[in-house]
CSV table of all heavy atoms in Angstrom, one decimal:
chain,number,residue,atom,x,y,z
A,48,TYR,N,0.6,-6.0,2.5
A,48,TYR,CA,-0.5,-4.9,2.7
A,48,TYR,C,-0.7,-4.1,1.4
A,48,TYR,O,-1.8,-3.7,1.1
A,48,TYR,CB,0.0,-4.2,3.8
A,48,TYR,CG,-0.5,-4.6,5.2
A,48,TYR,CD1,-0.2,-6.0,5.7
A,48,TYR,CD2,-1.2,-3.8,6.1
A,48,TYR,CE1,-0.6,-6.4,6.8
A,48,TYR,CE2,-1.7,-4.3,7.3
A,48,TYR,CZ,-1.4,-5.6,7.7
A,48,TYR,OH,-1.8,-6.0,8.8
A,49,GLN,N,0.5,-3.9,0.7
A,49,GLN,CA,0.3,-3.1,-0.5
A,49,GLN,C,-0.6,-3.8,-1.5
A,49,GLN,O,-1.4,-3.2,-2.2
A,49,GLN,CB,1.7,-2.8,-1.1
A,49,GLN,CG,1.6,-2.0,-2.4
A,49,GLN,CD,3.0,-1.7,-3.0
A,49,GLN,OE1,4.0,-1.9,-2.5
A,49,GLN,NE2,3.0,-1.3,-4.2
A,50,LEU,N,-0.4,-5.1,-1.7
A,50,LEU,CA,-1.2,-5.9,-2.7
A,50,LEU,C,-2.7,-5.9,-2.3
A,50,LEU,O,-3.6,-5.6,-3.1
A,50,LEU,CB,-0.7,-7.3,-2.9
A,50,LEU,CG,-1.4,-8.2,-3.9
A,50,LEU,CD1,-1.2,-7.4,-5.3
A,50,LEU,CD2,-0.7,-9.5,-3.9
A,51,ILE,N,-2.9,-6.2,-0.9
A,51,ILE,CA,-4.3,-6.1,-0.5
A,51,ILE,C,-5.0,-4.8,-0.7
A,51,ILE,O,-6.2,-4.7,-1.1
A,51,ILE,CB,-4.4,-6.6,1.0
A,51,ILE,CG1,-4.0,-8.1,1.1
A,51,ILE,CG2,-5.7,-6.3,1.6
A,51,ILE,CD1,-3.7,-8.6,2.5
A,52,HIS,N,-4.3,-3.8,-0.4
A,52,HIS,CA,-4.9,-2.5,-0.4
A,52,HIS,C,-4.9,-1.9,-1.9
A,52,HIS,O,-5.7,-1.0,-2.2
A,52,HIS,CB,-4.2,-1.5,0.6
A,52,HIS,CG,-4.6,-1.9,2.0
A,52,HIS,ND1,-3.9,-2.7,2.7
A,52,HIS,CD2,-5.7,-1.5,2.6
A,52,HIS,CE1,-4.5,-2.9,3.9
A,52,HIS,NE2,-5.7,-2.1,3.9
A,53,SER,N,-4.1,-2.5,-2.7
A,53,SER,CA,-4.3,-2.2,-4.2
A,53,SER,C,-5.6,-2.6,-4.6
A,53,SER,O,-6.4,-2.0,-5.3
A,53,SER,CB,-3.1,-2.8,-4.9
A,53,SER,OG,-1.9,-2.3,-4.7
A,54,VAL,N,-6.0,-3.9,-4.2
A,54,VAL,CA,-7.3,-4.4,-4.6
A,54,VAL,C,-8.4,-3.6,-3.9
A,54,VAL,O,-9.4,-3.3,-4.6
A,54,VAL,CB,-7.4,-5.9,-4.2
A,54,VAL,CG1,-8.9,-6.4,-4.4
A,54,VAL,CG2,-6.5,-6.7,-5.0
A,55,ALA,N,-8.2,-3.2,-2.7
A,55,ALA,CA,-9.2,-2.4,-2.0
A,55,ALA,C,-9.4,-1.0,-2.7
A,55,ALA,O,-10.5,-0.6,-2.8
A,55,ALA,CB,-8.8,-2.1,-0.6
A,56,LEU,N,-8.2,-0.4,-3.2
A,56,LEU,CA,-8.3,0.7,-3.9
A,56,LEU,C,-9.0,0.6,-5.3
A,56,LEU,O,-9.8,1.6,-5.6
A,56,LEU,CB,-6.8,1.3,-4.2
A,56,LEU,CG,-6.8,2.5,-5.0
A,56,LEU,CD1,-7.5,3.7,-4.3
A,56,LEU,CD2,-5.2,3.0,-5.1
A,57,LEU,N,-8.9,-0.5,-5.9
A,57,LEU,CA,-9.8,-0.8,-7.1
A,57,LEU,C,-11.2,-0.7,-6.7
A,57,LEU,O,-12.0,-0.1,-7.4
A,57,LEU,CB,-9.4,-2.1,-7.7
A,57,LEU,CG,-8.1,-2.3,-8.4
A,57,LEU,CD1,-7.9,-3.8,-8.8
A,57,LEU,CD2,-7.9,-1.4,-9.6
A,58,MET,N,-11.6,-1.3,-5.6
A,58,MET,CA,-13.0,-1.4,-5.3
A,58,MET,C,-13.4,0.0,-4.8
A,58,MET,O,-14.6,0.3,-4.9
A,58,MET,CB,-13.2,-2.3,-4.1
A,58,MET,CG,-12.8,-3.8,-4.5
A,58,MET,SD,-13.8,-4.4,-5.8
A,58,MET,CE,-15.4,-4.5,-5.1
A,59,ALA,N,-12.6,0.8,-4.2
A,59,ALA,CA,-12.9,2.1,-3.7
A,59,ALA,C,-12.6,3.3,-4.7
A,59,ALA,O,-12.7,4.5,-4.3
A,59,ALA,CB,-12.2,2.4,-2.4
A,60,SER,N,-12.3,2.9,-5.9
A,60,SER,CA,-11.9,3.9,-6.8
A,60,SER,C,-12.9,5.1,-7.0
A,60,SER,O,-12.7,6.2,-7.4
A,60,SER,CB,-11.4,3.4,-8.1
A,60,SER,OG,-12.5,2.7,-8.8
A,61,GLY,N,-14.2,4.7,-6.8
A,61,GLY,CA,-15.3,5.6,-7.0
A,61,GLY,C,-15.6,6.5,-5.7
A,61,GLY,O,-16.4,7.4,-5.7
A,62,ASN,N,-14.9,6.2,-4.6
A,62,ASN,CA,-15.0,6.9,-3.3
A,62,ASN,C,-13.8,7.7,-3.1
A,62,ASN,O,-12.8,7.1,-2.7
A,62,ASN,CB,-15.3,5.9,-2.2
A,62,ASN,CG,-15.6,6.5,-0.9
A,62,ASN,OD1,-14.9,7.6,-0.6
A,62,ASN,ND2,-16.4,6.0,-0.1
A,63,PRO,N,-13.7,8.9,-3.5
A,63,PRO,CA,-12.4,9.6,-3.5
A,63,PRO,C,-11.8,9.8,-2.0
A,63,PRO,O,-10.5,9.7,-1.9
A,63,PRO,CB,-12.7,11.1,-4.0
A,63,PRO,CG,-14.2,11.1,-4.1
A,63,PRO,CD,-14.8,9.8,-4.0
A,64,VAL,N,-12.6,9.8,-0.9
A,64,VAL,CA,-12.0,9.8,0.4
A,64,VAL,C,-11.4,8.5,0.7
A,64,VAL,O,-10.2,8.6,1.1
A,64,VAL,CB,-13.2,10.2,1.4
A,64,VAL,CG1,-12.6,10.2,2.8
A,64,VAL,CG2,-13.7,11.6,1.2
A,65,ALA,N,-12.1,7.4,0.6
A,65,ALA,CA,-11.5,6.1,0.8
A,65,ALA,C,-10.3,5.8,0.0
A,65,ALA,O,-9.3,5.3,0.4
A,65,ALA,CB,-12.5,5.1,0.8
A,66,ALA,N,-10.4,6.2,-1.3
A,66,ALA,CA,-9.3,5.9,-2.3
A,66,ALA,C,-8.1,6.7,-1.9
A,66,ALA,O,-7.0,6.3,-2.0
A,66,ALA,CB,-9.7,6.3,-3.7
A,67,SER,N,-8.3,8.0,-1.4
A,67,SER,CA,-7.2,8.7,-1.1
A,67,SER,C,-6.5,8.2,0.2
A,67,SER,O,-5.2,8.2,0.3
A,67,SER,CB,-7.6,10.3,-0.8
A,67,SER,OG,-8.1,10.8,-1.9
A,68,LEU,N,-7.3,7.8,1.1
A,68,LEU,CA,-6.7,7.2,2.4
A,68,LEU,C,-6.0,6.0,2.1
A,68,LEU,O,-4.9,5.7,2.6
A,68,LEU,CB,-7.9,6.9,3.4
A,68,LEU,CG,-8.5,8.3,4.0
A,68,LEU,CD1,-9.7,7.9,4.7
A,68,LEU,CD2,-7.4,8.7,5.1
A,69,PHE,N,-6.5,5.0,1.1
A,69,PHE,CA,-5.8,3.8,0.8
A,69,PHE,C,-4.5,4.3,0.2
A,69,PHE,O,-3.5,3.6,0.4
A,69,PHE,CB,-6.7,2.9,-0.1
A,69,PHE,CG,-7.7,2.2,0.6
A,69,PHE,CD1,-9.0,2.0,0.0
A,69,PHE,CD2,-7.5,1.6,1.9
A,69,PHE,CE1,-10.0,1.3,0.8
A,69,PHE,CE2,-8.6,1.0,2.6
A,69,PHE,CZ,-9.8,0.8,2.0
A,70,THR,N,-4.5,5.2,-0.8
A,70,THR,CA,-3.3,5.5,-1.5
A,70,THR,C,-2.3,6.1,-0.5
A,70,THR,O,-1.0,5.7,-0.6
A,70,THR,CB,-3.6,6.6,-2.5
A,70,THR,OG1,-4.5,6.1,-3.5
A,70,THR,CG2,-2.4,7.0,-3.4
A,71,ALA,N,-2.7,7.0,0.4
A,71,ALA,CA,-1.8,7.5,1.3
A,71,ALA,C,-1.2,6.5,2.3
A,71,ALA,O,0.0,6.4,2.6
A,71,ALA,CB,-2.4,8.7,2.1
A,72,GLY,N,-2.1,5.7,2.7
A,72,GLY,CA,-1.7,4.6,3.7
A,72,GLY,C,-0.8,3.6,3.1
A,72,GLY,O,0.3,3.2,3.7
A,73,MET,N,-1.0,3.2,1.8
A,73,MET,CA,-0.1,2.2,1.2
A,73,MET,C,1.2,2.8,0.9
A,73,MET,O,2.3,2.3,1.2
A,73,MET,CB,-0.6,1.8,-0.2
A,73,MET,CG,-1.7,0.7,-0.2
A,73,MET,SD,-2.1,0.2,-1.8
A,73,MET,CE,-2.7,1.6,-2.7
Side-chain angles (χ1 to χ4, degrees):
Y48 272 58
Q49 183 182 349
L50 185 59
I51 290 167
H52 287 90
S53 295
V54 174
L56 180 54
L57 288 173
M58 299 300 293
S60 63
N62 182 325
V64 175
S67 295
L68 286 165
F69 285 141
T70 301
M73 285 187 296

